[in-house]
Short mmCIF file of all heavy atoms in Angstrom, two decimals:
data_model
loop_
_atom_site.label_atom_id
_atom_site.label_comp_id
_atom_site.label_asym_id
_atom_site.label_seq_id
_atom_site.Cartn_x
_atom_site.Cartn_y
_atom_site.Cartn_z
N LEU A 9 42.31 -23.91 48.55
CA LEU A 9 41.26 -22.91 48.82
C LEU A 9 40.72 -22.35 47.48
O LEU A 9 39.52 -22.19 47.32
CB LEU A 9 41.82 -21.78 49.69
CG LEU A 9 40.84 -20.69 50.09
CD1 LEU A 9 39.72 -21.25 50.94
CD2 LEU A 9 41.56 -19.58 50.82
N PHE A 10 41.62 -22.10 46.56
CA PHE A 10 41.22 -21.60 45.24
C PHE A 10 40.33 -22.63 44.54
O PHE A 10 39.32 -22.26 43.93
CB PHE A 10 42.47 -21.31 44.40
CG PHE A 10 42.15 -20.85 43.00
CD1 PHE A 10 41.60 -19.59 42.77
CD2 PHE A 10 42.37 -21.69 41.92
CE1 PHE A 10 41.29 -19.19 41.48
CE2 PHE A 10 42.06 -21.29 40.63
CZ PHE A 10 41.53 -20.03 40.42
N PHE A 11 40.67 -23.91 44.60
CA PHE A 11 39.86 -24.94 43.97
C PHE A 11 38.49 -25.08 44.65
O PHE A 11 37.52 -25.46 44.02
CB PHE A 11 40.59 -26.30 43.98
CG PHE A 11 41.64 -26.40 42.90
CD1 PHE A 11 42.95 -26.73 43.21
CD2 PHE A 11 41.31 -26.17 41.57
CE1 PHE A 11 43.91 -26.82 42.22
CE2 PHE A 11 42.28 -26.26 40.57
CZ PHE A 11 43.59 -26.58 40.89
N TYR A 12 38.44 -24.79 45.95
CA TYR A 12 37.15 -24.83 46.64
C TYR A 12 36.29 -23.61 46.27
O TYR A 12 35.08 -23.71 46.15
CB TYR A 12 37.34 -24.88 48.15
CG TYR A 12 37.89 -26.18 48.67
CD1 TYR A 12 38.93 -26.20 49.59
CD2 TYR A 12 37.36 -27.39 48.25
CE1 TYR A 12 39.44 -27.39 50.07
CE2 TYR A 12 37.87 -28.59 48.73
CZ TYR A 12 38.92 -28.59 49.63
OH TYR A 12 39.41 -29.76 50.10
N ILE A 13 36.91 -22.47 46.09
CA ILE A 13 36.18 -21.22 45.79
C ILE A 13 35.81 -21.13 44.32
O ILE A 13 34.79 -20.54 43.97
CB ILE A 13 37.03 -20.00 46.23
CG1 ILE A 13 37.18 -19.98 47.74
CG2 ILE A 13 36.39 -18.71 45.77
CD1 ILE A 13 38.07 -18.88 48.25
N LEU A 14 36.62 -21.70 43.44
CA LEU A 14 36.39 -21.61 41.99
C LEU A 14 35.00 -22.06 41.58
O LEU A 14 34.31 -21.34 40.86
CB LEU A 14 37.46 -22.40 41.23
CG LEU A 14 37.38 -22.33 39.71
CD1 LEU A 14 37.57 -20.90 39.22
CD2 LEU A 14 38.41 -23.26 39.09
N PRO A 15 34.49 -23.21 42.03
CA PRO A 15 33.12 -23.59 41.65
C PRO A 15 32.07 -22.59 42.15
O PRO A 15 31.09 -22.30 41.44
CB PRO A 15 32.91 -24.96 42.29
CG PRO A 15 34.27 -25.48 42.53
CD PRO A 15 35.15 -24.29 42.75
N ALA A 16 32.28 -22.04 43.33
CA ALA A 16 31.33 -21.06 43.86
C ALA A 16 31.33 -19.80 43.01
O ALA A 16 30.27 -19.22 42.74
CB ALA A 16 31.69 -20.73 45.32
N ILE A 17 32.51 -19.38 42.55
CA ILE A 17 32.59 -18.19 41.69
C ILE A 17 31.91 -18.46 40.36
O ILE A 17 31.14 -17.63 39.86
CB ILE A 17 34.07 -17.79 41.48
CG1 ILE A 17 34.65 -17.23 42.79
CG2 ILE A 17 34.19 -16.75 40.38
CD1 ILE A 17 36.15 -16.98 42.73
N ILE A 18 32.15 -19.65 39.78
CA ILE A 18 31.53 -20.01 38.51
C ILE A 18 30.01 -20.06 38.65
O ILE A 18 29.27 -19.50 37.83
CB ILE A 18 32.09 -21.34 37.98
CG1 ILE A 18 33.56 -21.16 37.58
CG2 ILE A 18 31.27 -21.85 36.80
CD1 ILE A 18 34.26 -22.45 37.21
N VAL A 19 29.53 -20.70 39.71
CA VAL A 19 28.08 -20.77 39.95
C VAL A 19 27.51 -19.37 40.16
O VAL A 19 26.45 -19.03 39.65
CB VAL A 19 27.77 -21.70 41.15
CG1 VAL A 19 26.33 -21.56 41.59
CG2 VAL A 19 28.09 -23.14 40.81
N GLY A 20 28.23 -18.52 40.87
CA GLY A 20 27.78 -17.14 41.09
C GLY A 20 27.68 -16.36 39.79
O GLY A 20 26.71 -15.64 39.56
N LEU A 21 28.69 -16.49 38.92
CA LEU A 21 28.67 -15.78 37.63
C LEU A 21 27.53 -16.28 36.74
O LEU A 21 26.85 -15.48 36.09
CB LEU A 21 30.01 -15.94 36.93
CG LEU A 21 31.18 -15.16 37.54
CD1 LEU A 21 32.48 -15.51 36.82
CD2 LEU A 21 30.93 -13.67 37.48
#
Side-chain angles (χ1 to χ4, degrees):
L9 182 63
F10 177 71
F11 281 126
Y12 290 133
I13 294 176
L14 183 62
I17 290 172
I18 292 173
V19 168
L21 288 174

